[in-house]
Amino acid sequence: MNVSLIGLGDMGHDIARHVVAGGFTVTGFDVDPERRNAAAALGVDVQNTLAGAVAHAKVHIVMVATDEQSEQVTREILEEGVAGSVIVITATNGPKTMQTLAKACRERGFGFVDAPVCFGRVGAREGTLASLCGGSDADIETIRPVLDCYSRAVHHIGPVGAGQIGKACNNMMHWAHCVANYEVLLLAKRYGINAQRMREVLLECPAENGTLRRWDSTRFTWHEKDMDLALDMAQAGDIPMPLFGQVDQLVKRLDKEMVKELLHGPEADYLGWHLTALPPEKGGLN
């Protein structure tokens, strides 16, 4: 089976590597020539145009960022690809965008699946992403062997758009954990307990969560986009979510350097406060 991969950045590069290792013929395209060169070194048949990359593929993996980019690439594949092939959107986009694109694909005889991924950069590098899929049984069975190359699990959640709903649910829990983890470890640090040691202890307690376990690799690269998308979906669905309204505001004030300093540095910052451990005479444990 021939597979095209559109978008050869950090995530796409590693996904391409795993799909090539899985024995598939992979053609690729990216607007960045350096990314194209890097993918060529993996054994990807890199093309200088999107049209060249998708011309003979049965499955098209689209690893771009925004709804607008997903729309643009999908429209180009419909013009240049082969009817009967399946387009797979791996980006975190809106479910309505997915439904609109799926309709356009059906009208042209193409399959369509939204399959955003979890576990981020580390998961892509290790080939242990989780693919959350929305689409028909037939389309997902067609693409499953390809997704299995880079996924620890391929979850069929429901019809087109369901993959994006599933990704939003995961993201909401992830960012809520980010805020809770930071505040909890900040409390420990304030009273003189080593925050990294407290983290290690909590990983052996009921408070353990996947975000805390992967805390060192959380990059805070998409939290603004992810939370905005989730809250837009809540508003469109007329669902009150006061907790996540607060999480939305708080997580946007965190970054990986703050987490690094909290876990391994002598001090920490949060919401404008610069915090050090309390001395014993003021309630600290040191």
Side-chain angles (χ1 to χ4, degrees), residues 8 29-38 46:
L8 299 168
F29 173 73
D30 195 284
V31 296
D32 186 332
E34 291 186 4
R35 292 176 176 178
R36 294 200 298 269
N37 291 338
V46 175

Side-chain angles (χ1 to χ4, degrees), residues 164-238:
Q164 300 296 346
I165 301 293
K167 180 63 182 293
C169 292
N170 174 80
N171 287 346
M172 291 168 74
M173 292 296 288
H174 172 53
W175 299 124
H177 283 151
C178 281
V179 175
N181 293 343
Y182 195 92
E183 293 190 1
V184 164
L185 296 178
L186 191 68
L187 178 69
K189 191 180 191 82
R190 182 64 161 164
Y191 282 94
I193 299 173
N194 180 277
Q196 173 62 11
R197 174 57 181 153
M198 189 73 253
R199 173 197 177 206
E200 294 168 356
V201 170
L202 291 173
L203 289 174
E204 304 299 326
C205 295
E208 184 272 339
N209 59 76
T211 300
L212 187 63
R213 188 168 296 281
R214 299 171 62 244
W215 200 231
D216 289 332
S217 63
T218 298
R219 298 190 297 163
F220 294 93
T221 50
W222 294 104
H223 51 306
E224 293 194 21
K225 171 179 174 284
D226 289 351
M227 283 303 302
D228 288 346
L229 178 59
L231 291 178
D232 285 346
M233 290 166 54
Q235 184 172 3
D238 196 26

Side-chain angles (χ1 to χ4, degrees), residues 87-101:
I87 298 173
V88 184
I89 303 296
T90 60
T92 302
N93 292 163
K96 288 187 177 179
T97 300
M98 301 297 96
Q99 292 168 344
T100 298
L101 293 178

Side-chain angles (χ1 to χ4, degrees), residues 28-110:
F29 173 73
D30 195 284
V31 296
D32 186 332
E34 291 186 4
R35 292 176 176 178
R36 294 200 298 269
N37 291 338
L42 300 175
V44 176
D45 180 12
V46 175
Q47 301 292 309
N48 291 323
T49 65
L50 186 148
V54 305
H56 304 293
K58 176 69 172 178
V59 174
H60 310 282
I61 304 294
V62 181
M63 178 53 82
V64 292
T66 67
D67 288 54
E68 291 76 14
Q69 290 171 343
S70 294
E71 290 173 1
Q72 179 182 350
V73 170
T74 297
R75 303 290 181 187
E76 292 191 46
I77 294 173
L78 292 180
E79 292 298 324
E80 307 294 346
V82 179
S85 58
V86 183
I87 298 173
V88 184
I89 303 296
T90 60
T92 302
N93 292 163
K96 288 187 177 179
T97 300
M98 301 297 96
Q99 292 168 344
T100 298
L101 293 178
K103 181 175 183 295
C105 288
R106 287 194 299 270
E107 292 171 350
R108 300 288 292 272
F110 286 71

Side-chain angles (χ1 to χ4, degrees), residues 107-148:
E107 292 171 350
R108 300 288 292 272
F110 286 71
F112 184 91
V113 175
D114 61 302
V117 294
C118 301
F119 293 104
R121 186 71 184 85
V122 173
R125 185 169 60 249
E126 297 177 352
T128 56
L129 295 167
S131 292
L132 310 184
C133 299
S136 70
D137 290 339
D139 284 344
I140 290 173
E141 287 311 303
T142 296
I143 68 172
R144 186 181 292 275
V146 180
L147 272 57
D148 280 340

